[in-house]
Amino acid sequence: MEQDFEDRREETLHSVKRFETMLKRMEATFFDLDTYEIIVEHYMDEGKIVDAMNACEVALEQYPYSLELMLCKAELLANQGKHDEALELIDKAELYNPSDTDIIYLRSTVYNLKGDYQTAIEMLTEILDIAEDKDEVYFHIGLAYQSWGKNHNAVAAFKQAIEINIKNENALYELANSLDDIGKLEESLPYYQQFIDTDPYSENAWYNIGIAYSKLGKFEEAVDAYEFSVAINDKFASGYFNLGNSYMNLSNWSKAEDAYRHCLEYENITPEVYCCFAASIERQERFSEAIHYYKDAIKLDPNWDDGYFGVGVCLCEMQRWFEAIHFLKKALVLDEKNAYYWLAIGDAETSMGNTVTGMEAYQKSAELEPMNPEAWIKWSVVNHEQGDYEMAAELMLSAIDQMPEEAELYYRASVYFIKSGRYKEAFNYLETGLVLNYDGHEIMFEHFKNLETQKAIFKIIEQYRK
């Protein structure tokens, strides 16, 4: 199977090369209709819209009545926002192929893109009585409702498609998406299970139920589903990739590494896969090895900021701060609004003794992602270490405004107020911290070695002992 895929790919690339040579030399070369369709499909898959359109036009000169080519060109026109031109071409195709349902489906898609969802749905509803594959009609009605933002209606349409044909994988997939949008993703699980019961050897069914479990945060169930998908097809790259992601969420770094390694064997290698693979190795504290794979991601795409960030984090772990800053700044150039990049810069700068620069980075991180307590806490710690207890306390109060349920912020505010001599405020914040999370009070004793202070703190804490 793998060899067949490689052979087809090689044949496609050979045809594309012949076609491009023909255009370059402005010479006539014969291609049969199937070959033209393969060339156009290749360009569309690659996202090369201009090349795909050019190939369509050249092909239509030789095969002006080809339905497939006319529909491909209409689809390309629609995706370029040329909706009226697309509809004109679809009308022309219908003259030669009056009963082809693909024409109706594409016409409804164009109306969707135009924002005329009602018309799209009406024309699909009209062919329900005569259509052989009614599940496909309901599927396209569901897509129209989805585009319209009416996900409850979309769910009803996708369910009707599945009731007619439980093996309509596209309807199953989109049902899960619409249910996810309305917060009812769990309702999709019985449908996937029903599919699996009818076809237990469908790797796509296991894969899709794995995606549903992943979105629900049920990663152990997701792992089981993905494991089945790759057991059925041991070259299923997407199954391995998502299996790796689920193991990462379960903190099983070595299993994640194995899954990503398999993915790299069977997938067209991408920077994302390299970064995920590197991250699984990084979590096992094999930092030099992780850096190697992060750099492989950068080689594939010099603008892949996650790669630079990954290298920077590993270098921080190795306490090679100066080198780390170099890579972290490269990541920031590519994504200057990433709060976590600024946070890492803050760590590296303060570790080098550059407190002012470090605090500026923490401040930027907190501004970009105010709901991340780590940035606020680290920013306050630097002020605390500089002896500016008032500023450290004020930062905790600002963080509390953003995250009033975060107990650690109250404990730290209490610490800073005690050191500022503002005891009443300190004990008020300590009491709130104890109410939110009693066990978090240990942080108080880490900051005070004076016996009298410890006794005062202990007396308050004892009142909240459960």
Side-chain angles (χ1 to χ4, degrees), residues 43-311:
Y43 283 134
M44 290 175 76
D45 288 344
E46 294 284 311
K48 297 179 177 178
I49 304 302
V50 174
D51 291 331
M53 179 65 80
N54 193 24
C56 265
E57 290 174 347
V58 171
L60 281 166
E61 288 176 8
Q62 293 184 36
Y63 303 98
Y65 305 112
S66 164
L67 174 64
E68 185 67 31
L69 290 173
M70 281 192 278
L71 294 185
C72 279
K73 184 177 178 181
E75 183 179 344
L76 290 165
L77 286 167
N79 288 331
Q80 291 176 309
K82 299 176 180 178
H83 303 126
D84 292 337
E85 288 182 50
L87 290 170
E88 285 177 18
L89 188 54
I90 291 169
D91 289 341
K92 180 180 176 183
E94 191 173 34
L95 291 173
Y96 304 113
N97 304 272
S99 59
D100 196 291
T101 52
D102 284 343
I103 292 172
I104 302 293
Y105 296 146
L106 183 55
R107 184 181 280 128
S108 72
T109 299
V110 176
Y111 277 107
N112 269 345
L113 292 171
K114 284 183 71 173
D116 190 350
Y117 310 111
Q118 189 66 51
T119 299
I121 291 165
E122 286 172 0
M123 81 176 46
L124 289 164
T125 305
E126 285 174 5
I127 66 166
L128 266 173
D129 291 337
I130 59 170
E132 289 185 17
D133 300 323
K134 287 183 172 55
D135 60 308
E136 278 299 306
V137 181
Y138 279 117
F139 169 66
H140 281 84
I141 290 172
L143 291 180
Y145 276 123
Q146 219 177 37
S147 299
W148 201 350
K150 297 189 174 186
N151 282 297
H152 286 88
N153 300 78
V155 165
F158 293 137
K159 283 182 176 179
Q160 285 178 296
I162 294 163
E163 283 171 15
I164 295 167
N165 178 15
I166 188 60
K167 291 191 176 184
N168 189 321
E169 294 190 29
N170 291 326
L172 279 166
Y173 180 78
E174 294 301 341
L175 172 65
N177 284 336
S178 287
L179 286 169
D180 191 19
D181 286 337
I182 61 176
K184 295 184 178 180
L185 179 59
E186 201 144 2
E187 288 183 17
S188 69
L189 298 178
Y191 288 93
Y192 283 120
Q193 191 58 56
Q194 190 180 345
F195 186 128
I196 289 166
D197 290 342
T198 62
D199 186 0
Y201 296 103
S202 168
E203 70 261 34
N204 285 324
W206 285 109
Y207 174 74
N208 283 321
I209 200 170
I211 289 175
Y213 279 127
S214 294
K215 287 182 177 179
L216 289 166
K218 298 183 176 182
F219 298 112
E220 290 181 356
E221 291 91 337
V223 161
D224 290 340
Y226 294 133
E227 290 280 15
F228 275 117
S229 74
V230 297
I232 294 164
N233 177 2
D234 64 2
K235 295 179 175 60
F236 188 22
S238 295
Y240 284 118
F241 181 70
N242 283 279
L243 177 60
N245 291 344
S246 293
Y247 275 128
M248 289 292 281
N249 279 295
L250 291 170
S251 301
N252 192 331
W253 319 126
S254 61
K255 285 287 186 72
E257 179 188 349
D258 289 341
Y260 291 135
R261 199 180 295 277
H262 279 101
C263 182
L264 285 166
E265 287 179 39
Y266 305 118
E267 179 77 279
N268 283 335
I269 297 172
T270 65
E272 183 182 15
V273 178
Y274 265 139
C275 279
C276 289
F277 184 46
S280 68
I281 294 167
E282 176 197 326
R283 298 297 192 282
Q284 298 174 73
E285 300 185 2
R286 289 151 44 204
F287 300 118
S288 294
E289 189 178 346
I291 286 172
H292 170 78
Y293 290 108
Y294 281 127
K295 286 185 174 180
D296 280 341
I298 295 166
K299 286 176 189 173
L300 279 180
D301 184 352
N303 293 318
W304 198 262
D305 51 285
D306 279 347
Y308 295 104
F309 177 65
V311 174

Side-chain angles (χ1 to χ4, degrees), residues 366 370-377 379-380 392-406 409-410:
M371 300 299 288
N372 179 17
E374 191 177 2
W376 293 100
I377 289 169
W379 187 8
S380 76
E394 289 302 318
L395 288 171
M396 287 300 90
L397 298 190
S398 296
I400 287 168
D401 286 341
Q402 301 290 338
M403 297 163 283
E405 300 301 317
E406 195 70 35
L409 302 175
Y410 293 89

Side-chain angles (χ1 to χ4, degrees), residues 300-402:
L300 279 180
D301 184 352
N303 293 318
W304 198 262
D305 51 285
D306 279 347
Y308 295 104
F309 177 65
V311 174
V313 168
C314 288
L315 289 168
C316 282
E317 292 290 344
M318 299 165 78
Q319 298 187 5
R320 290 160 59 181
W321 311 113
F322 186 77
E323 296 169 77
I325 289 171
H326 169 76
F327 282 94
L328 292 171
K329 284 185 175 177
K330 280 182 172 288
L332 267 179
V333 167
L334 295 166
D335 183 5
E336 63 180 11
K337 294 188 182 299
N338 191 308
Y340 296 97
Y341 295 178
W342 284 105
L343 187 62
I345 285 274
D347 291 346
E349 292 284 9
T350 53
S351 296
M352 288 181 67
N354 302 329
T355 54
V356 174
T357 311
M359 284 196 288
E360 288 172 352
Y362 289 141
Q363 179 178 356
K364 188 70 176 177
S365 180
E367 288 171 354
L368 289 168
E369 186 57 66
M371 300 299 288
N372 179 17
E374 191 177 2
W376 293 100
I377 289 169
K378 288 184 173 182
W379 187 8
S380 76
V381 167
V382 179
N383 279 281
H384 169 260
E385 290 173 350
Q386 296 293 302
D388 193 345
Y389 307 131
E390 292 282 349
M391 177 56 75
E394 289 302 318
L395 288 171
M396 287 300 90
L397 298 190
S398 296
I400 287 168
D401 286 341
Q402 301 290 338

